[in-house]
Each structure stands twice: as C-alpha cells, then as structure tokens.
Amino acid sequence: MYGDSLGQVIDTLFGGPASLWVDAGLFLAILLVVLLVLRARRRRVAKERGRRPDTAAMAQTPVPEPQPGGEAEQRAGKELPAAETLSAQLSHRESTPQDLSVADTIGPETAARPDRMAKPPPGFLGRLKSGLAKTRANLSGSLEKLLGGKTRIDDELLEDLEELLITSDIGVETTLALIEKISLRSAELSCADDLKQALRQEILAMLTAQTPPAGNRASKPRVIMVVGVNGTGKTTTIGKLAARFTADNQKVLLAAADTFRAAAIEQLEVWAQRAGADIVKHRDGSDPAAVAFDSIEAARARDMDIVLIDTAGRLHTKVNLMEELKKMQRTIAKKLPGAPHDVLLVLDATTGQNALSQAKLFNQALGVTSIALTKLDGTAKGGIVIGICHELKIPLRYIGVGETIEDLQDFDPRAFTDALF
C-alpha cells in the first residue's frame, strides 16, 4: 500500500512512471558505492607502497661488522686501524643525544656565522668553480656525452647541440645565434674537440660584447638604486656591496626604502652594522620616495661616498608598483641632479628565462644600467648568464655564487667561461 502511494507521489511530482525513477536512483546508488570502494582500495594500496621497504637497496647495502675498540682506546692513546676508527665514530654517533643544538655540536661562534660552516676553495677562481659546479656538470658534462665518440660534425650533431643549449637555459635566441656562428665555422671543425673549442670561443665573445656601463662614477655621493622582484636577494646584495665598499675605505649610507616588507628595515640595519655603514630609515609603511629623499640629504651632509637605496620587491607585471619606482627615481633626481647614477637590477638565476622578461620590463620602466645575478650556486642552469649578456646588452656587473660576502664577485667573462668548461 505504501509502495503504491509512494509511486503515485513520484508520478505526480516528476511527471513520469515511478519505476523509472526508482531504477535510476538504484543505479546511481550502486555507482556511488563502486566509486567509494575503488577510492578506498587505491588509498590502501598507496599506503602499503609507502610502508614497504626497498628490499633491493637493502640487499645491496653491506652490513658493517662490529669492530673492537672505541673511544676508550683513543683516550688511552692507542692508534686504531681504519676499520676500528670507523667503528668508534659510529658508536660515538649512537651514544650522542639527538636533542643537541647546532651550537652544542659545532660551537656557538660557528653556529652564529653559517658562512663559516662550509668554506669554499680559496681564491677567486676556486670560489667561482665551486659555485658553478651544478651548471658545469649540466652543460659541460652533457656536452662531453654528446660529443663522445663523434668523429665528424654533421647536421644531426648540431641539432643535438642546439637542444642541449636550450635545455641549459641559454635561451632560444642566443642558442640559434651560437649554432649559426658554429655552422659558419663547420669547415674548419674536424672533430668534437674543435667543436667544443669553437663553442667556448663564441660564448666568450658573447660575454665580452657588453655595452659599457652608464652613469657618472666620479660623482659624490654616488647613488645606486637597487631594484628587482620579490625574493631575488636585493637586501642581501646591498649588504654585501656595502661591506665591499667600506673595505675599500669608502663611506657608505644605506637607505631603507623598502617600507613594505616585514622586517626589511631590521634586516638592512643588521647589514649596516656588519659593514660599518650608516643607515637612514623611516617607520614601516612610510613613503619610499621620502626615505630616498632624506637619504640623499643625509649623504650630502655627512660627506658620504656611496648611497645604496633598497626598494620593495614588486612584480614586474604590476604597472602601479612600477610607477612607484618611477616616482622614487624622479624624487632622487630632483634632490641630486643626475642621480641615481646606477640602477642595479638584481635577478635570481634559478628563475631561468623568466629573469630575461623581468630585466626587459624593468629596463623599459627605469633604464637599468647594470645587473647582479644571484644564486648561481643553487641552479644547474647558469647558462642564463649567456642569454642575459647577448639579448639584453646590459652590463652584468656582479654574480653571486655562494652565501659569504666574498661570493658576490665582479663578473669576469673569461674566468666565468673557464669555470663553465
């Protein structure tokens, strides 16, 4: 009776036979149950795979045999063989509490200065090679594999070389220019070594064909406006430059015009203390142009040699933010005619080809006079350096190949090419 009444209700409400709606409802219910079962099974399989140990890797890993000796023998003045020394180190690690802090294990002074924990090879070229290790392994290592066993230069080899250069983030336009120049020299290239040498020469020619830097370097104070997108390392680069300038006995003033980012002013204050530089700052949220204006006024009153102006990071595609930078530039020029003498654009090497588009838009808005390329040690695609020099025609003045102050280096095309190959 109730079933017939329910059928009449469904028939009245939906204007169709009740059996059709009941069948459709049953079908949807069954389909939902099947989907839920499959989903639960997929989750269970994924969880079991995550817990399952890698038996192949365990089988290949040798199990160390216990060795006699340990710290007691070392304290007694006995000399342990190599195997016993390893056993002593392992036993010491097992007995060391896991809750020790970094300062407890490596010392408070080293923990306070992370740049002292891992020292790169000494010397300019040593630090450069160490910083470009990933790029060299990617470009030069892949080039060796590509040219290995090749006895002649043909179109197929040049196509493979073109693909390799593009994947190394050199850029399509720059890669095509390199391949064209090498093709013109193909008659004089008899083997793979000749091709590698020719590629090296053409890359060096691109790196050295830069437009001379603009700006009056003899002006006092010399005003350097530092710009770039968020996260490129502008403030850190400013701090390292301040340390370099003060080491050359120049009086440096830092302008904390990044009033937007949290703790940006405090970070610049720390760098000013380290470098022994003066600083001009306002409260958070103040007008950046006002900070720049006051910094020029203070620099002239204190007879400063260098003024480094920090700016807030901004996306190069945001027109209103770029207009704010233009306002700062006009304010600086109004206070000190001819300033800023340099507009230094800081680019992050790990962003690859996006760095090129950033540079083009910043250059259109502000007239960039030089570039600092940071974080080259953290990427395997340092070929972006070649693309920047060839496509932008803006001097690449500094490259960052590490965390320490010494790792911000003047760009040397020949040294860079030697370290790359």
Side-chain angles (χ1 to χ4, degrees):
M1 179 178 68
Y2 292 105
D4 295 337
S5 300
L6 179 62
Q8 292 175 1
V9 171
I10 294 176
D11 190 18
T12 303
L13 291 175
F14 297 97
S19 59
L20 178 61
W21 290 101
V22 172
D23 292 341
L26 289 174
F27 173 79
L28 291 176
I30 294 172
L31 181 60
L32 180 60
V33 171
V34 171
L35 290 176
L36 290 175
V37 171
L38 290 176
R39 184 178 180 183
R41 183 180 179 184
R42 195 181 304 121
R43 286 184 177 179
R44 186 171 64 255
V45 171
K47 189 178 297 183
E48 290 176 357
R49 287 180 178 175
R51 294 176 179 175
R52 188 179 303 163
D54 190 353
T55 55
M58 294 175 60
Q60 295 178 1
T61 304
V63 178
E65 297 181 2
Q67 299 290 337
E71 291 184 348
E73 291 189 18
Q74 290 180 348
R75 284 193 293 266
K78 296 182 179 180
E79 216 173 285
L80 297 178
E84 293 181 355
T85 303
L86 176 61
S87 176
Q89 293 175 354
L90 291 174
S91 63
H92 174 66
R93 289 180 183 177
E94 292 174 357
S95 62
T96 300
Q98 298 300 319
D99 57 347
L100 288 178
S101 65
V102 176
D104 293 329
T105 55
I106 64 176
E109 183 179 356
T110 307
R113 292 290 305 276
D115 51 283
R116 295 183 182 177
M117 294 175 61
K119 294 184 178 179
F124 171 81
L125 190 58
R127 287 194 299 271
L128 184 60
K129 286 185 175 181
S130 176
L132 293 176
K134 293 182 180 180
T135 298
R136 182 170 59 254
N138 181 51
L139 177 60
S140 185
S142 300
L143 189 61
E144 291 291 344
K145 294 179 182 179
L146 176 64
L147 300 180
K150 300 289 184 180
T151 56
R152 63 188 185 91
I153 310 302
D154 52 17
D155 293 339
E156 181 180 356
L157 178 59
L158 291 179
E159 288 181 3
D160 293 338
L161 178 61
E162 178 181 329
E163 180 180 352
L164 171 62
L165 295 178
I166 291 177
T167 56
S168 297
D169 246 22
I170 292 179
V172 176
E173 181 180 332
T174 306
T175 296
L176 293 178
L178 282 171
I179 295 298
E180 182 180 359
K181 291 180 179 180
I182 291 177
S183 299
L184 295 175
R185 299 176 55 179
S186 59
E188 60 186 73
L189 306 178
S190 58
C191 62
D193 289 338
D194 292 341
L195 175 60
K196 185 176 181 179
Q197 186 63 25
L199 179 62
R200 183 173 182 166
Q201 293 172 357
E202 295 299 338
I203 288 177
L204 179 59
M206 284 186 173
L207 295 178
T208 53
Q210 298 187 64
T211 305
N216 182 11
R217 292 180 170 271
S219 60
K220 185 175 180 178
R222 177 183 160 204
V223 180
I224 304 174
M225 184 177 175
V226 184
V227 299
V229 303
N230 298 294
T232 57
K234 292 185 303 301
T235 306
T236 302
T237 300
I238 289 174
K240 292 179 179 180
L241 287 176
R244 290 180 50 157
F245 290 141
T246 54
D248 291 337
N249 297 320
Q250 299 189 73
K251 298 172 66 177
V252 180
L253 184 141
L254 306 183
D258 182 359
T259 59
F260 177 75
R261 180 170 63 89
I265 298 176
E266 289 79 2
Q267 182 184 1
L268 199 64
E269 280 185 298
V270 171
W271 273 111
Q273 294 173 1
R274 289 182 182 177
D278 289 3
I279 185 170
V280 171
K281 61 178 182 176
H282 287 189
R283 293 178 300 177
D284 289 341
S286 301
D287 183 7
V291 180
F293 184 91
D294 290 346
S295 66
I296 302 297
E297 191 173 54
R300 298 176 74 175
R302 303 174 194 177
D303 194 29
M304 291 289 173
D305 298 306
I306 304 289
V307 178
L308 291 166
I309 301 178
D310 192 12
T311 61
R314 62 206 63 228
L315 293 175
H316 51 291
T317 54
K318 299 296 183 181
V319 178
N320 58 328
L321 296 179
M322 297 301 286
E323 289 298 326
E324 186 179 271
L325 279 180
K326 292 181 183 179
K327 175 187 173 183
M328 286 184 61
Q329 194 175 35
R330 290 192 301 267
T331 302
I332 296 170
K334 190 177 298 184
K335 183 62 179 176
L336 181 64
H341 307 101
D342 283 306
V343 178
L344 177 64
L345 173 62
V346 181
L347 297 175
D348 182 351
T350 62
T351 60
Q353 291 300 303
N354 190 35
L356 284 174
S357 61
Q358 293 173 23
K360 290 176 181 177
L361 292 177
F362 272 100
N363 189 39
Q364 291 174 5
L366 303 170
V368 175
T369 60
S370 57
I371 291 175
L373 189 64
T374 63
K375 306 179 186 179
L376 270 172
D377 57 315
T379 179
K381 297 187 176 183
I384 186 64
V385 172
I386 306 169
I388 287 175
C389 292
H390 175 253
E391 295 185 34
L392 298 181
K393 301 297 187 291
I394 300 173
L396 178 59
R397 188 167 300 166
Y398 306 106
I399 55 174
V401 292
E403 295 295 330
T404 66
I405 294 175
E406 294 79 10
D407 289 326
L408 181 66
Q409 304 179 357
D410 292 324
F411 178 64
D412 185 338
R414 188 171 297 277
F416 181 85
T417 307
D418 291 342
L420 199 59
F421 286 92

